[in-house]
């Protein structure tokens, strides 16, 4: 399962790992849909629907050579379908950058998992802790996490591709861009990391905007979220507000959602080379 990410000079939970680059000085529009299955790694275009395993899908991606042992030090329900896994990484030289994922090795299970990192590099540097958010699924690594994994379980990790193109910062220093996030789920219980996102909006006023969309909300929305929640799907009118020559668009969600939003963006004149996504699982 994928959960989401924006990295524009800072990190929020990693809901996007398939973008090929992020430019901190640009505006970014991120469209997310919380869902169970994505499949077939594709960046920018829709071509194949052949279901492949994680190592096959990412065979051409760079990996660090280091494989580090790790021990589960915490596991909690982020929603009814997503577990947040806290891992104490044994190797002190293990590092990662915002936007990366890990190959996830489980003793006794031949299938290797591939999960986005949803914690910041700072947490690893300070406490030696790395966190993953994993959706419940029949895929063996995800199924193990939801049914057998417990504090003390031992696994191994290897960092996948760096998703950021390094840029030399010359002259006048660093200028942070802006991020607009549209995040859709069935209901507010399935809006993962919503408190983290609201906290970042408060910490970076004018730099981060978030609009939550719920499509099957049957209970009252809590007061804290009400100003930020719209009932109904993300629409063409929502996206039109952010069209500009400097905006890059990142989409994460199930394949039908990616295809639908891509068509909406094409309809409002967004160039294809400004739209980034991947399909997996």
């Amino acid at each position: 399962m994928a959960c989401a990410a924006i990295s524009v000079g800072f990190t929020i939970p990693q809901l996007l790992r398939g973008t090929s680059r992020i430019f901190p000085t640009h505006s970014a529009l991120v469209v997310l849909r919380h869902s169970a299955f994505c499949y077939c790694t594709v960046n920018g275009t829709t071509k194949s629907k052949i279901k492949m395993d994680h190592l096959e899908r990412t065979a051409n991606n760079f990996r660090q050579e280091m494989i580090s042992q790790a021990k589960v030090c915490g596991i909690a329900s982020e929603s009814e379908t997503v577990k947040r896994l806290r891992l104490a990484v044994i190797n002190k030289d293990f590092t990662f950058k915002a936007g990366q994922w890990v190959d996830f090795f489980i003793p006794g299970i031949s299938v290797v998992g591939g999960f986005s990192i949803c914690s910041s590099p700072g947490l690893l540097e300070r406490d030696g802790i790395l966190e993953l958010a994993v959706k419940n699924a029949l895929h063996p690594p995800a199924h193990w996490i939801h049914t057998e994994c417990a504090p003390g379980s031992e696994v191994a990790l290897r960092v996948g591709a760096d998703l950021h193109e390094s840029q030399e910062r010359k002259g006048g220093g660093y200028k942070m861009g802006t991020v607009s996030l549209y995040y859709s789920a069935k209901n507010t219980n399935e809006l993962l990391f919503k408190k983290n996102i609201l906290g970042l909006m408060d910490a970076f006023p004018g730099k981060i905007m978030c609009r939550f969309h719920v499509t099957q909300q049957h209970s009252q929305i809590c007061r804290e979220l009400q100003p930020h929640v719209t009932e109904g799907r993300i629409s063409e009118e929502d996206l039109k507000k952010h069209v500009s020559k400097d905006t890059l668009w990142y989409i994460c969600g199930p394949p039908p959602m990616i295809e639908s939003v891509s068509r909406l963006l094409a309809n409002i004149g967004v160039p294809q080379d400004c739209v980034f996504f991947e399909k997996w699982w």
Side-chain angles (χ1 to χ4, degrees), residues 2-279:
C3 279
I6 309 162
S7 182
V8 193
F10 48 86
T11 302
I12 71 170
Q14 305 302 323
L15 291 167
L16 287 178
R17 67 178 176 82
T19 57
S20 62
R21 62 187 187 275
I22 294 180
F23 294 100
T25 55
H26 280 58
S27 298
L29 192 292
V30 184
V31 184
L32 306 171
R33 176 114 198 287
H34 180 80
S35 186
F37 292 99
C38 301
Y39 54 90
C40 177
T41 301
V42 180
N43 192 348
T45 57
T46 305
K47 291 183 179 179
S48 173
K49 292 188 177 180
I50 300 172
K51 198 167 184 178
M52 302 171 69
D53 196 35
H54 166 69
L55 290 184
E56 293 178 291
R57 290 192 307 269
T58 60
N60 294 326
N61 290 80
F62 170 79
R63 284 168 163 77
Q64 292 183 5
E65 293 184 5
M66 179 192 303
I67 296 179
S68 175
Q69 300 299 310
K71 184 173 288 189
V72 176
C73 59
I75 185 167
S77 295
E78 195 66 34
S79 75
E80 293 180 357
T81 59
V82 174
K83 296 284 189 185
R84 185 199 288 239
L85 202 62
R86 283 177 68 87
L87 300 165
V89 180
I90 305 303
N91 193 319
K92 301 302 181 184
D93 295 324
F94 183 95
T95 62
F96 74 95
K97 295 181 181 179
Q100 291 183 296
W101 82 87
V102 290
D103 294 333
F104 190 85
F105 301 91
I106 304 166
I109 295 179
S110 60
V111 178
V112 176
F115 302 119
S116 299
I117 302 168
C118 68
S119 56
S120 72
L123 180 63
L124 180 66
E125 292 170 7
R126 292 191 306 271
D127 302 329
I129 299 295
L130 179 148
E131 294 186 334
L132 307 175
V134 181
K135 183 89 171 183
N136 193 10
L138 295 178
H139 191 251
H143 184 70
W144 179 84
I145 288 169
H146 279 261
T147 59
E148 298 183 45
C149 181
S153 295
E154 295 183 351
V155 297
L157 306 172
R158 178 173 59 191
V159 174
D162 181 0
L163 304 182
H164 299 266
E165 290 183 352
S166 60
Q167 290 181 302
E168 291 184 287
R169 296 174 183 169
K170 298 179 180 179
Y174 176 71
K175 181 182 178 182
M176 190 172 80
T178 60
V179 174
S180 298
L181 170 65
Y182 282 86
Y183 186 2
S184 178
K186 289 192 301 184
N187 54 57
T188 54
N189 290 332
E190 292 293 323
L191 291 169
L192 307 184
F193 307 110
K194 48 187 173 286
K195 291 184 179 180
N196 304 66
I197 295 170
L198 292 176
L200 285 169
M201 290 173 64
D202 290 337
F204 297 93
K207 292 295 184 181
I208 301 179
M209 183 284 294
C210 178
R211 196 73 199 164
F212 298 113
H213 284 249
V214 292
T215 57
Q216 299 177 38
Q217 183 78 19
H218 302 301
S219 59
Q220 186 173 357
I221 297 169
C222 69
R223 183 176 299 177
E224 181 186 21
L225 285 177
Q226 281 179 3
H228 309 289
V229 173
T230 296
E231 296 198 36
R233 297 183 183 279
I234 300 166
S235 71
E236 187 173 303
E237 291 302 315
D238 294 319
L239 304 181
K240 276 183 179 178
K241 302 171 187 175
H242 304 280
V243 174
S244 79
K245 63 181 178 63
D246 295 321
T247 301
L248 301 176
W249 304 73
Y250 301 90
I251 313 172
C252 183
M257 176 266 189
I258 291 175
E259 291 159 5
S260 174
V261 173
S262 295
R263 285 194 296 270
L264 292 179
L265 294 176
N267 290 343
I268 60 178
V270 175
Q272 186 177 356
D273 61 1
C274 291
V275 181
F276 303 92
F277 58 82
E278 72 169 3
K279 292 184 178 182

